Amino acid sequence: MGIILKPIDVVDNITREEFLEKYLKPRRPVVMKNMARNWPAYQKWTMDYVKEVVGDVEVPLYDSKKADPGAPINTPTTKMKFGDYIDLIQREPTDLRIFFFDPIKHANKLMDDFIAPKELMGGFLDKYPSMFFGGKSSVTFLHFDIDMAHIFHTHFNGRKHVKLFEYKWKERLYKLPYATYALEDYDIDNPDFEKYPALDGVEGIECFLEHGDTLFMPTGWWHWMKYLDGSFSISLRAWDKSWAVKAHSIWNLTVQRKFDDIMKSNFKNTYMDWKEKAAVKTAEMALKRCLPK
């Protein structure tokens, strides 16, 4: 059977009513082809442009290696000047990525180049939205966003492969306890179903983003992303109206994250071994019970 991936809905344009009824209320992803075409960024945001306006700020870089259980979460692999990194991803494949660094804070003029889609919904959060950069073949591991926000993810200067899974599949995806990411020992793009049988039959959605495409990812959706070219994206985040979702976000950001940091700091490999074994056990139980139903 394998992992069952359906193509995502793709629209050129969409009205507020259509967006609310078809995607926001049922929490279904969609790709919007034209949403960003009226942004100045659609024409302006080339690699050379962002390199020029951000400059030579030193940036943290992350690779595809499994996280060190003894290191705090989101510890970078290395650092590099932003301009040198842009040169690198234009020149050759690399698994190095930028996230948890916000170029917009170092180049406020970028704020003038995009427009939050408030005609579709309210609740937008960020003064400085997040930007993500990756080299060709670099991968963002399978996870869901800790703040449980809705995401409008617009891509620039290349292509990106995205796989999406509804939150209800978390046990079958080998979610680690007290974390928002999955077991890092399997490749969701080419899984070993004998070793990880709970993945067999998992249902998801697949899409390929090109320059200017905007992916709407509803709250809680798991996502895996692969840069098919050296390129970058911007994510605009908005609150869900549900107080239950807001409470889940606060729990993740405060109690869960703090507990996880303390346990990793004090117990390192012992704690991570327990987490991985617990993820496998939970996945196997979910498979036996044919979850989710």
Side-chain angles (χ1 to χ4, degrees):
M1 185 185 301
I3 294 175
I4 303 164
L5 294 173
K6 296 180 181 178
I8 199 167
D9 285 0
V10 179
V11 299
D12 289 330
N13 303 291
I14 192 166
T15 66
R16 179 183 180 89
E17 291 72 22
E18 289 174 323
F19 177 74
L20 291 176
E21 293 303 318
K22 292 183 178 180
Y23 303 106
L24 183 58
K25 288 181 180 179
R27 295 177 180 167
R28 290 177 55 211
V30 62
V31 169
M32 294 168 279
K33 301 292 289 186
N34 292 339
M35 194 193 87
R37 295 203 175 194
N38 64 336
W39 295 3
Y42 185 77
Q43 299 293 339
K44 292 170 65 176
W45 281 14
T46 63
M47 292 291 194
D48 289 340
Y49 180 75
V50 294
K51 177 182 173 181
E52 176 187 344
V53 298
V54 177
D56 282 331
V57 180
E58 189 175 65
V59 297
L61 301 175
Y62 301 81
D63 61 19
S64 300
K65 294 186 178 70
K66 187 175 179 179
D68 178 357
I73 192 169
N74 302 326
T75 301
T77 302
T78 186
K79 294 182 178 180
M80 185 182 295
K81 289 183 177 180
F82 182 78
D84 292 340
Y85 175 75
I86 295 299
D87 289 341
L88 172 65
I89 65 174
Q90 289 187 94
R91 183 175 66 245
E92 61 191 62
T94 175
D95 70 343
L96 294 175
R97 295 173 291 116
I98 293 177
F99 63 99
F100 294 107
F101 165 76
D102 197 340
I104 297 174
K105 289 182 180 178
H106 299 272
N108 283 345
K109 63 189 298 184
L110 293 173
M111 292 284 292
D112 299 328
D113 293 341
F114 59 88
I115 305 164
K118 294 180 181 179
E119 73 279 5
L120 297 181
M121 67 174 295
F124 283 90
L125 293 166
D126 294 310
K127 182 178 180 181
Y128 300 112
S130 301
M131 294 182 72
F132 306 87
F133 294 73
K136 181 179 180 179
S137 300
S138 63
V139 171
T140 303
F141 59 80
L142 185 63
H143 70 287
F144 65 94
D145 287 3
I146 193 169
D147 62 1
M148 303 296 289
H150 298 298
I151 308 294
F152 291 82
H153 187 79
T154 303
H155 196 60
F156 295 92
N157 286 275
R159 298 165 298 144
K160 181 183 276 188
H161 183 193
V162 182
K163 296 183 180 184
L164 300 157
F165 302 92
E166 201 170 350
Y167 186 74
K168 68 181 182 179
W169 290 99
K170 60 186 183 296
E171 289 92 354
R172 294 276 295 276
L173 291 171
Y174 294 85
K175 177 188 177 297
L176 293 172
Y178 305 108
T180 59
Y181 54 95
L183 192 68
E184 295 179 69
D185 295 324
Y186 70 82
D187 178 5
I188 195 66
D189 203 32
N190 186 29
D192 182 342
F193 294 111
E194 290 188 8
K195 192 171 183 180
Y196 303 102
L199 295 173
D200 197 8
V202 168
E203 299 174 6
I205 293 175
E206 182 174 41
C207 68
F208 293 85
L209 300 178
E210 299 178 341
H211 178 80
D213 288 350
T214 300
L215 167 63
F216 170 65
M217 288 187 291
T219 175
W221 276 72
W222 290 77
H223 42 284
W224 169 95
M225 298 182 174
K226 182 175 184 178
Y227 291 83
L228 302 180
D229 305 290
S231 48
F232 61 92
S233 306
I234 183 171
S235 284
L236 307 180
R237 298 154 57 249
W239 274 122
D240 188 86
K241 288 185 176 181
S242 166
W243 283 105
V245 173
K246 291 183 174 73
H248 193 170
S249 170
I250 293 169
W251 171 269
N252 287 346
L253 290 165
T254 56
V255 179
Q256 177 176 282
R257 173 182 275 179
K258 185 66 175 177
F259 175 80
D260 198 50
D261 286 344
I262 291 171
M263 294 297 288
K264 284 199 296 186
S265 176
N266 286 283
F267 299 102
K268 297 183 174 64
N269 287 325
T270 301
Y271 176 57
M272 287 304 297
D273 287 346
W274 171 80
K275 288 179 72 165
E276 292 178 355
K277 290 176 181 176
V280 170
K281 184 176 181 180
T282 299
E284 291 174 350
M285 290 177 62
L287 179 61
K288 289 179 182 178
R289 295 171 60 192
C290 297
L291 297 177
K293 295 182 178 179

